[in-house]
Amino acid sequence: LKSVHYSISASMPPKTKHDAAGDSTTSSDVKEGLKKVEAHAERWLAGHDAKAAPAEKDVLAMLRLLGGNWPTQARPNVTDTGRPVPGMCVGLVFALGQGAMTSLISRQQPAMTKVLARWARATLPKTRKGGEFPFSSLQVNYNYAAKKHVDGNNIGPSYIMSIGSHTGGALWTADQGVIQCKGSWKLFDGNQEHATEPFKGERISFIAFAHEQYNKLDAETAKQLVDLGFTAARSDRKDLEFFARFRIERSYLTDEHNEKFREELARRKRDAAPASSLQPGDVAVECYGRQAERGGGWMAFHGAKGVETLELTPNSVGIWVAELAFDGTGKLFLADHARLDFYNKREKTTAAFAARVKAMKAGTPVVLGIADTACAASRPLGRPVYAALEQLGASADMPKIEYRAAWAMIGFKGASPGTAQTAMGTRSTLLRLDATLSSSGKATNMSKKGNADLTSIIDVCIGTSQ
């Protein structure tokens, strides 16, 4: 095969293009090559039992029968020329005007499709639970370098491998950097920007992924895909656990999952409610972001009036802060409770928060937490916010509070940097912090009560991770 040099611009285009791989078109030369490929695949299948799997060399030998004359696909978003590119998608595709269906190339080349699917199933890495990686589609690309794009109709989790005699051709990704994928499957997120790095030689790449509609198929299409060897094809509209986790991480809980989450909150309230678990001087905060039940949580302390609980309003952006104080007998009481709206009024709230902390008396206990998101994705918290938190005991190098990440802190004015109780999870974390505060009259003392509780909301709803 002729050695071809492909390259992409070092400066990526500013706009991300979304691409949905569809069916291929064929010329007479390509059809002749496909006949050879199909006949070869039929012979291979006839000569091996149902549990046998082809090796990489078998797949390469089969596809080389095309003689470099490959079917083409209209994928203008992955090439600078806008012209069709050599490749094909076997398995499930989205056909304009027809919806999700088994690709024409798979219906015309069932033996080839079965060989490719069987090879992929045998070589793809297992999930964390030891199961097969679920995929409904296998995109096969020949000798072209895709420019920066985001996949369309792809749930996200995807595996890529390239074979053939080539150098270069790694996958550039926006979130993981450069991924070397020659000769081995590598996991990436098809919903993140990605592109092919320059390469020389013969490069055939495969992307195994699940189409967004994999569980909403008609029964006939689902059966056809399963018979061809694909592992993510169903008609019951139920999500496989693997993808349910991924969808939750990218979005919000379904009504069904929110019900399970509410059951978990009820269990925690029953087994570790502030009224029953806090002793004099104890302080606690529990919170979770908008992904579950639109956010929420509470702050509580055991003080002069017994246990007092402050509910955090669901879907309330910014950071909630409770200022406490000690009375003449050394018992805690609530001095102030407010929401600091860094989301909508970042500059004004930042200045107000810095002034608030500066005005606090030394030793003032403070509890902070979120009930949606502390800040906007495009307007992160600025340095003055972290400088104020350092005055309350936060570490000088504390991780930045991320958009919609669960976060909480218990500290006091004048605490040494790094001594405050802080914790940050993800958008799918149910977080709890506990500490004990006391006053000697001249100084405030704080001790940690156990480690931070960082419960995975996803684990609560659908079980442990795959």
Side-chain angles (χ1 to χ4, degrees):
L1 292 173
K2 183 179 178 182
S3 175
V4 186
H5 176 254
Y6 287 78
S7 64
I8 57 175
S9 171
S11 60
M12 293 294 184
K15 251 189 177 178
T16 298
K17 300 294 185 180
H18 291 257
D19 169 69
D23 257 325
S24 305
T25 58
T26 56
S27 66
S28 57
D29 288 343
V30 172
K31 287 178 181 177
E32 287 302 313
L34 286 172
K35 285 182 182 178
K36 295 178 182 178
V37 169
E38 186 69 2
H40 179 91
E42 288 173 350
R43 289 193 297 271
W44 191 94
L45 292 171
H48 296 81
D49 63 45
K51 294 183 179 181
E56 179 184 315
K57 63 180 178 60
D58 298 319
V59 171
L60 191 57
M62 179 180 73
L63 294 178
R64 280 176 172 168
L65 293 174
L66 289 170
N69 294 315
W70 278 60
T72 57
Q73 294 172 289
R75 301 182 69 189
N77 295 328
V78 303
T79 174
D80 289 321
T81 66
R83 293 194 296 268
V85 293
M88 54 188 168
C89 188
V90 296
L92 184 61
V93 298
F94 187 85
L96 191 61
Q98 301 178 69
M101 60 189 300
T102 303
S103 68
L104 179 62
I105 198 79
S106 287
R107 284 178 277 137
Q108 293 178 338
Q109 309 284 132
M112 177 195 74
T113 300
K114 288 179 180 179
V115 169
L116 292 175
R118 196 181 292 190
W119 168 69
R121 289 179 67 171
T123 56
L124 279 165
K126 300 296 184 184
T127 67
R128 291 177 186 173
K129 281 190 172 181
E132 290 188 80
F133 174 75
F135 67 107
S136 68
S137 312
L138 190 65
Q139 173 64 33
V140 190
N141 305 310
Y142 176 70
N143 271 6
Y144 74 88
K147 70 177 183 180
K148 183 172 76 168
H149 68 286
V150 171
D151 292 343
N153 297 326
N154 180 350
I155 293 177
S158 309
Y159 270 101
I160 183 171
M161 181 199 288
S162 67
I163 63 174
S165 303
H166 64 277
T167 57
L171 183 72
W172 172 87
T173 65
D175 57 336
Q176 298 183 64
V178 176
I179 298 174
Q180 300 296 333
C181 57
K182 183 179 180 182
S184 61
W185 292 105
K186 295 297 176 65
L187 183 65
F188 74 103
D189 184 355
N191 290 332
Q192 298 288 332
E193 296 167 340
H194 55 280
T196 309
E197 293 216 314
F199 68 89
K200 292 181 179 180
E202 174 202 32
R203 181 180 183 272
I204 303 173
S205 65
F206 305 83
I207 296 90
F209 67 97
H211 192 284
E212 281 280 1
Q213 299 295 313
Y214 84 94
N215 60 346
K216 302 179 181 68
L217 307 175
D218 60 77
E220 182 182 354
T221 299
K223 182 179 185 304
Q224 189 176 46
L225 289 166
V226 170
D227 290 345
L228 288 170
F230 295 94
T231 53
R234 52 200 305 171
S235 58
D236 58 7
R237 305 184 75 86
K238 293 182 179 179
D239 236 346
L240 293 169
E241 179 184 327
F242 187 93
F243 295 123
R245 296 186 65 86
F246 193 84
R247 290 187 202 268
I248 291 174
E249 288 169 353
R250 293 294 188 272
S251 184
Y252 304 107
L253 299 186
T254 63
D255 290 342
E256 176 188 355
H257 293 144
N258 265 323
E259 181 59 34
K260 291 184 178 179
F261 181 66
R262 286 190 289 269
E263 291 173 2
E264 171 65 11
L265 291 181
R267 184 197 65 78
R268 292 165 76 99
K269 187 175 182 179
R270 181 182 66 249
D271 297 344
S276 60
S277 63
L278 299 189
Q279 302 299 313
D282 286 352
V283 177
V285 54
E286 179 175 278
C287 61
Y288 47 93
R290 189 168 184 255
Q291 188 177 47
E293 286 285 276
R294 299 188 307 123
W298 50 261
M299 298 172 173
F301 65 95
H302 194 306
K305 299 179 181 180
V307 175
E308 295 186 56
T309 301
L310 310 169
E311 297 293 336
L312 306 185
T313 306
N315 197 198
S316 54
V317 294
I319 296 176
W320 284 91
V321 56
E323 287 185 44
L324 306 179
F326 293 100
D327 65 13
T329 64
K331 294 180 179 180
L332 291 167
F333 68 90
L334 180 64
D336 190 31
H337 182 223
R339 178 174 65 91
L340 309 177
D341 189 357
F342 294 102
Y343 186 96
N344 294 302
K345 305 171 184 177
R346 184 180 64 168
E347 286 73 21
K348 182 178 179 179
T349 304
T350 296
F353 180 53
R356 172 191 283 264
V357 173
K358 183 178 181 181
M360 288 179 186
K361 293 182 179 179
T364 298
V366 181
V367 185
L368 304 105
I370 61 97
D372 184 320
T373 181
C375 56
S378 59
R379 300 184 301 280
L381 300 178
R383 176 58 197 158
V385 175
Y386 295 102
L389 291 175
E390 287 174 32
Q391 296 179 57
L392 303 176
S395 172
D397 60 351
M398 71 170 282
K400 300 300 184 236
I401 302 172
E402 298 176 0
Y403 173 63
R404 288 190 174 166
W407 176 84
M409 174 174 159
I410 302 173
F412 62 87
K413 175 68 179 291
S416 300
T419 60
Q421 303 299 310
T422 63
M424 183 165 68
T426 67
R427 58 179 290 138
S428 56
T429 300
L430 173 57
L431 180 155
R432 175 167 173 169
L433 279 179
D434 287 81
T436 300
L437 293 162
S438 62
S439 174
S440 62
K442 294 184 179 180
T444 297
N445 302 299
M446 182 173 63
S447 58
K448 181 171 69 171
K449 286 190 66 179
N451 295 322
D453 179 352
L454 299 172
T455 296
S456 166
I457 294 172
I458 300 176
D459 285 350
V460 167
C461 295
I462 62 175
T464 56
S465 172
Q466 289 201 51

